[in-house]
Amino acid sequence: MPRRILLINGPNLNLLGKREPHIYGSTSLSDIEAQARQQARELGVEIDTFQSNHEGAIVDRIQETAGWGPNVQETDAPGEKVSAIIINAGALTHTSVAVRDALAAVAIPFVELHVSNVHARETFRAHSYLSDKAVAVICGMGVYGYKAAIEFVAKHLKIEGE
Ligand SMILES: O=C1C[C@@](O)(C(=O)O)C[C@@H](O)[C@@H]1O
């Protein structure tokens, strides 16, 4: 069972609750993250949250999960290892080979998440650089998708070596 989960939200997801509420609903990201922390406590797992509008910052944060990256010193004691990642990469889903490569490099199992049903929208949203590498893909459940992803990862994801 995963001990530590990293929840990543990409560009414009800091605007959840304000942005196109007919598509993304009225719940803010800070509410989602607070609920995630509460849910994690109930499930007995740790959760870290991270949001950035910047592709490189997301790549750095993914690398840090493996003790790599520009912000990690050679002398740093290895941090507690992240055993699963839940990522809503926002628009980077459809454009970013760099985020895909970072996830492949750290080789940590991840769930791809979208609040909206990306298959029922513009055709460019149907392609993802992440899906074929993901353990699971959640979309169209609204912000409930975050709860579903955390429960799935905490209760059902088998982590090699644990
Ligand atoms: O920013 C987003 C949010 C999104 O990932 C979602 O959660 O539904 C869907 C993406 O296509 C879009 O660019």
Side-chain angles (χ1 to χ4, degrees):
M1 174 167 143
R3 309 227 181 307
R4 193 176 202 94
I5 298 168
L6 173 62
L7 172 63
I8 299 177
N9 279 284
N12 297 306
L13 292 160
N14 56 316
L15 301 180
L16 279 176
K18 301 190 186 75
R19 154 193 204 206
E20 299 178 277
H22 56 291
I23 298 175
Y24 298 111
S26 56
T27 310
S28 68
L29 182 61
S30 57
D31 283 349
I32 290 167
E33 290 179 340
Q35 281 165 21
R37 282 190 287 275
Q38 172 65 30
Q39 187 187 2
R41 267 193 298 278
E42 288 164 12
L43 290 166
V45 295
E46 303 283 321
I47 194 159
D48 293 333
T49 60
F50 179 76
Q51 189 277 331
S52 180
N53 293 328
H54 305 277
E55 184 175 24
I58 293 170
V59 169
D60 288 347
R61 187 65 190 84
I62 292 168
Q63 289 185 8
E64 277 171 26
T65 62
W68 301 328
N71 303 323
V72 177
Q73 306 299 313
E74 291 291 324
T75 50
D76 282 354
E80 200 184 338
K81 201 175 168 299
V82 168
S83 47
I85 295 173
I86 298 168
I87 182 165
N88 183 348
L92 294 174
T93 309
H94 318 300
T95 62
S96 181
V97 178
V99 171
R100 174 193 175 90
D101 284 353
L103 289 163
V106 299
I108 293 172
F110 73 91
V111 173
E112 174 185 346
L113 188 154
H114 304 284
V115 173
S116 66
N117 179 357
V118 286
H119 300 287
R121 301 181 60 192
E122 300 96 323
T123 51
F124 63 82
R125 293 185 204 275
H127 175 259
S128 165
Y129 277 101
L130 309 182
S131 298
D132 63 308
K133 298 288 177 191
V135 173
V137 181
I138 291 175
C139 75
M141 291 189 190
V143 298
Y144 173 75
Y146 289 95
K147 197 171 179 205
I150 292 165
E151 178 162 344
F152 167 73
V153 164
K155 287 195 183 166
H156 304 291
L157 187 62
K158 299 258 181 295
I159 305 292
E160 269 178 55
E162 285 192 359

